């Protein structure tokens, strides 16, 4: 064992925990405050010249930047960006989350050994076991499901894993389709909108550096956006170099809104109406790209003009609160900069009950001005997946699983998995409780559902506790988390700085690239990469499954994926193979292909034209499916949609909606959110947001980040505060309510969900009908930094009804900055660790796609305590 081990509740730290020994990881005694001795907090100057440099990939958020780590004595002492990552644009810069990387390996609360539950689930008493015992028991239980003819009763529930290929192999070998994810809680409406419209990509790559006009609908890319830091750099350059304008629509003055040329506050969920009204102006004034619309946009100009006729600026102004004159002016300014103009979104637009069509309406603006795949425009067409053709896996590969279940493919949301696996994960626990699904073995990985799920502290925890619903729960985690607390077995995972993996992301330089995640240091104690755990379990399931895992460990898996990459570097350096190339550079950029501008105009090859015929301007194959378009006498690729055109009208959407009895004409029409109609004066709309230093369940344990942001007061407009008699620092009681029934509203009763006490921050930087509380905070376990708890490592306290953890090293280091420097500890006069706002938000999937409607929750508020003078 290396330095660390667990301790039991309320006793001194142990040098080690032996096999079979028990440990209690339950709420601890109150901490004893012990200040550090004078002089012990001296700074240590690192000699970076003697450090070992290793390239790898960050995973403190979804941007997954290429990074370089510097290592001394098996300790990461510095992280900077890898300038070969094309998103970095030759920069070493990383954000605060990236800079926090060196602290991850040294979590004081790291899990070090496999643990098996002793006593009741959720009681918090564990026994240390060996890896062989852990693997054998997991394999035995999975084997029992397979032998019983129910492989689908083995479910793997992941957060942001970045090892999809490895997980798919494991489940494929078992024969289970139940790979549950968090996509519906994150970005499924945005991805679905792009798929319906373009048929190509799951996330656009804005050609920001060459753009002249940015229309931003609800994206806070200065803080929290896929590729945010890199997008910011290019937007700033565009604004500095050629005066590009940035206009932001957001209910709150985010950092992005505050740095925009114009900030407008629409009523929540009306972004789609704004986009439609802008489209109305652009078409009415003939400010669109006629050639592109006539040749590449469906359903055609006349139909578009007639459909948009009622969507006037005045109509949108009545719904959004944005002045009609501003809507008209912004639409024409945007169109005047075509094609170097981009309209884009993020969760502020998509995370609503009407978010799917709102996203489609915004993307449509790019089509009208002809900025799709144009320099400075809304680009796509980059391969963002680790395709087997380019990155081959070890052979043999399990065959596709043909079973379906309601858990992973619920029929209520038929578009969730139509174009991409966007599982409606927020309904999983409800479905289990209702008997809609049955599980024998539940494996959770990088998932903090009690913290990050809507109704996480009620519905989620109730089901996780219930052994009749989840008979066996295996949790792989890095720290003792709220998820691990409700497991039957805990597998200590390696951090992203301690494991292998290939990673890929959309590139703002419009080039295909891939990065290599490799271990920078060895994991402490007996921690093992989750992928290696899956492979080892797979080898123990029996001959039929083991044959898919004979390649060896995760390193061998990644080596195979690199086999088609070059062995000669861009500087002429030669390597044994592509794997060694990647270990050295950390990234491969494919410069052999031009930037994917206007890929829809690419002529079809003679081979692609074999056996085709032209019908109504569409090039069709013998089976009747469209292969391309005939434009000016040339057969071109078009878009990868059923019509090969940019689809404003999506017949597929109309058809599936009709089967469910929903009113949707297939156009990105605007429908008001049912719960917001006739909103009473004493009711508000609750929204949440992310700070630039936190990513839901991934960062609160890191002291460097939690001391920057550790609490989350509720933003309230000055006019509301005046009416309620509330000042900044006062405590209020926040109450939330379920959505009102309409169409597919989940549990649409309007009933009360719950209450929480929250401090208030009074500001003019928010819409008067909106209250805002940031997420990612309010933990009840996960380490002292997450809890906001001063004290020695061996006496970590938990707060609330969940449980904390008490883990410790062996020999104590000279300085433990969590001992006395968690200065936000509320019991020591600090502001505390905030509230878990997700616990008050209802499970509320949007129709058809199923994305969580995070920002629709109706709430009320009353003052209960005045801030002390």
């Amino acid at each position: 064992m290396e330095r660390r081990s667990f301790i039991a509740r309320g006793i001194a730290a142990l040098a080690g925990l032996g096999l079979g020994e028990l440990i209690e990881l339950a709420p601890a005694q109150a901490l004893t405050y012990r200040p550090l001795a004078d002089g012990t907090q001296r700074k240590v100057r690192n000699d970076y010249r003697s450090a070992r440099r290793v390239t790898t990939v960050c995973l403190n958020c979804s941007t997954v930047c290429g990074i370089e780590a510097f290592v001394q004595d098996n300790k990461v002492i510095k992280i900077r960006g890898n300038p070969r990552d094309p998103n970095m644009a030759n920069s070493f810069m990383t954000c605060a989350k990236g800079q926090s990387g060196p602290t991850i390996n040294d979590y004081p609360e790291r899990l070090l050994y496999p643990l098996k539950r002793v006593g009741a689930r959720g009681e918090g008493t564990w026994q240390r076991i060996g890896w062989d015992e852990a693997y054998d028991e997991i394999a035995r239980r999975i084997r029992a499901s397979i032998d019983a003819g129910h492989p689908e009763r083995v479910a793997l529930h992941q957060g942001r894993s970045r090892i999809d290929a490895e997980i798919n192999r494991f489940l494929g070998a078992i024969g289970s389709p139940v790979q549950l994810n968090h996509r519906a809680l994150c970005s499924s409406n945005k991805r679905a909108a792009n798929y319906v419209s373009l048929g190509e990509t799951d996330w656009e790559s804005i050609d920001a550096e060459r753009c002249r006009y940015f229309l931003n609908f609800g994206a806070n890319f200065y803080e929290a956006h896929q590729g945010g830091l890199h997008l910011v750099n290019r937007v700033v350059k565009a604004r500095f170099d050629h005066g590009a304008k940035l206009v932001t629509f957001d209910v709150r003055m985010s950092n992005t809104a505050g740095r925009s040329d114009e900030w407008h506050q629409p009523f929540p969920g009306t972004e789609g109406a704004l986009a439609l009204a802008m489209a109305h102006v652009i078409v009415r004034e003939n400010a669109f790209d006629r050639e592109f619309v006539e040749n590449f946009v469906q359903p055609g100009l006349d139909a578009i003009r007639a459909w948009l006729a009622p969507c006037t600026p005045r109509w949108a102004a009545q719904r959004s609160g944005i002045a009609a004159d501003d809507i008209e002016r912004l639409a024409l300014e945007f169109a005047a900069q075509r094609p170097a103009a981009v309209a884009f979104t993020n969760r502020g637009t998509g995370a609503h009950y009407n978010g799917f069509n709102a996203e489609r309406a915004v993307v449509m603006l790019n089509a009208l001005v002809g900025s799709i795949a144009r320099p400075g425009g809304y680009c796509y067409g980059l391969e963002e997946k680790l395709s087997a053709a380019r990155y081959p896996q070890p052979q043999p590969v399990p065959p596709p699983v043909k079973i379906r279940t309601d858990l992973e493919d619920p029929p209520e949301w038929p578009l969730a998995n139509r174009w991409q696996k966007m599982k409606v994960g927020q309904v999983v626990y409800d479905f289990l409780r209702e008997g809609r699904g049955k599980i024998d073995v539940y494996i959770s990985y990088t998932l903090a559902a009690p913290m990050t799920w809507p109704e996480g502290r009620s519905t989620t925890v109730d089901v996780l506790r219930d052994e009749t619903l989840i008979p066996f729960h295996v949790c792989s985690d890095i720290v003792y988390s709220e998820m691990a607390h409700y497991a039957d077995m805990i597998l200590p995972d390696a951090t992203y700085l301690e494991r292998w993996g290939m990673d890929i992301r959309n590139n703002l330089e419009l080039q295909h690239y891939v990065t290599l995640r490799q271990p920078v240091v060895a994991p402490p104690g007996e921690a093992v990469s989750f992928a290696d755990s899956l492979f080892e379990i797979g080898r123990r399931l029996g001959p039929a499954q083991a044959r898919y895992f004979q390649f060896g460990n995760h390193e061998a898996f990644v080596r195979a994926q690199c086999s088609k990459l070059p062995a000669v570097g861009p500087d002429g350096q030669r390597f044994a193979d592509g794997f060694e190339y990647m270990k050295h550079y950390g990234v491969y950029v494919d410069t052999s292909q031009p930037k994917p501008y206007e890929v829809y105009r690419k002529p079809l090859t003679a081979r692609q034209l074999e056996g085709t015929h032209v019908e109504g301007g569409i090039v069709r194959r013998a089976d009747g499916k469209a292969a391309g378009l005939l434009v000016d006498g040339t057969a071109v690729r078009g878009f990868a949609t059923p019509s090969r055109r940019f689809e404003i009208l999506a017949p597929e959407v109309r058809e599936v909606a009709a089967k469910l009895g929903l009113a949707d004409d297939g156009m990105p029409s605007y429908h008001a959110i049912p719960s917001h109609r006739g909103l009473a004066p004493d009711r508000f709309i609750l929204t949440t947001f992310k700070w630039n230093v936190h990513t839901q369940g991934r960062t609160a344990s890191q002291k460097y980040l939690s001391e920057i942001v550790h609490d989350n007061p509720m933003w309230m407009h000055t006019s509301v505060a005046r009416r309620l008699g509330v000042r900044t620092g006062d405590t209020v009681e926040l109450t939330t309510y379920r959505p009102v029934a309409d169409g597919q509203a989940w549990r649409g009763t309007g009933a009360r969900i719950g209450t929480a006490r929250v401090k208030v921050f009074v500001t003019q930087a928010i819409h008067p009908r909106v209250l805002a509380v940031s997420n990612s905070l309010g933990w009840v376990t996960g380490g002292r930094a997450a809890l906001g708890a001063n004290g020695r490592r061996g006496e970590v306290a938990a707060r609330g009804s969940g449980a904390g953890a008490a883990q410790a090293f062996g020999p104590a280091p000279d300085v433990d900055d969590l001992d006395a420097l968690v200065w936000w500890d509320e019991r020591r006069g600090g502001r505390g660790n905030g509230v878990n706002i997700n616990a008050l938000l209802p499970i509320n999937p949007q129709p058809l796609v199923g994305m969580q409607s995070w920002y629709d929750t109706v709430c009320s508020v009353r003052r209960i305590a005045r801030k002390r003078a």
Side-chain angles (χ1 to χ4, degrees), residues 86-87 203-210 234 373-383 505-513 589-591 593-598:
N87 276 332
W203 203 283
E204 72 278 356
S205 297
I206 296 170
D207 194 17
E209 195 169 326
R210 283 159 282 278
R234 288 162 173 81
R374 299 285 295 278
Y378 193 89
C379 293
Y380 69 96
L382 299 172
E383 183 185 0
R505 192 47 101 191
N506 59 317
N507 178 5
L508 294 169
E509 287 302 306
L510 308 181
Q511 296 170 303
H512 172 80
Y513 80 113
V589 183
D590 185 357
T591 58
Q593 299 295 322
K595 294 187 177 184
Y597 293 135
E598 298 188 86

Side-chain angles (χ1 to χ4, degrees), residues 798-815:
R799 296 173 183 172
S801 60
Q807 298 101 344
F809 298 94
D814 293 336
V815 177

